[in-house]
Amino acid sequence: MFSVEIWLSGAFLFVAVVGSAAYAGARGWRLWRTFRRTSRRAGDAVEQLLDKAAAVEEHAVAIGGNAERLSAAAARLQESLAELAVLRAAVEEAREPLDALRGAVPTK
């Protein structure tokens, strides 16, 4: 009888150890799959983020180029406005004698 009890307890120990190892192995495999999936998704998210950052950088460079063109156009506009002021002054100067002549002509 003593030997049957030892064999039964040994069998129980064997089943408990193998069952625990199988359970731990299954949980470990599940953890590994979850880690790989999360890692893959994180990699995809980082790649999308880098693509968007590159697009933003291109847009910023384009805006910088447009700012230079805008600055040049504003400088040309200021020059044109200065020329217009000179031309208006010249026209006003030319009109002064005509206005004086008109003032000398009697009206009804």
Side-chain angles (χ1 to χ4, degrees):
M1 188 93 172
F2 178 71
S3 114
V4 173
E5 292 173 347
I6 292 177
W7 279 107
L8 285 175
S9 64
F12 178 77
L13 176 66
F14 177 75
V15 170
V17 168
V18 170
S20 297
Y23 181 76
R27 296 293 287 188
W29 179 251
R30 193 160 156 208
L31 176 66
W32 174 251
R33 284 190 356 219
T34 303
F35 172 73
R36 279 192 349 199
R37 183 175 51 239
T38 303
S39 176
R40 191 177 314 122
R41 286 182 181 171
D44 292 343
V46 167
E47 186 176 328
Q48 288 177 355
L49 182 64
L50 290 175
D51 290 343
K52 287 181 182 180
V56 167
E57 181 182 5
E58 289 175 10
H59 188 66
V61 168
I63 287 175
N66 289 340
E68 292 173 5
R69 288 180 34 216
L70 180 62
S71 177
R76 287 193 311 270
L77 176 63
Q78 291 301 324
E79 291 174 7
S80 297
L81 288 175
E83 288 178 16
L84 178 63
V86 169
L87 291 174
R88 279 186 174 173
V91 167
E92 191 63 35
E93 194 176 309
R95 280 190 178 173
E96 285 178 4
L98 291 176
D99 288 341
L101 186 61
R102 279 188 196 160
V105 177
T107 59
K108 287 187 183 182

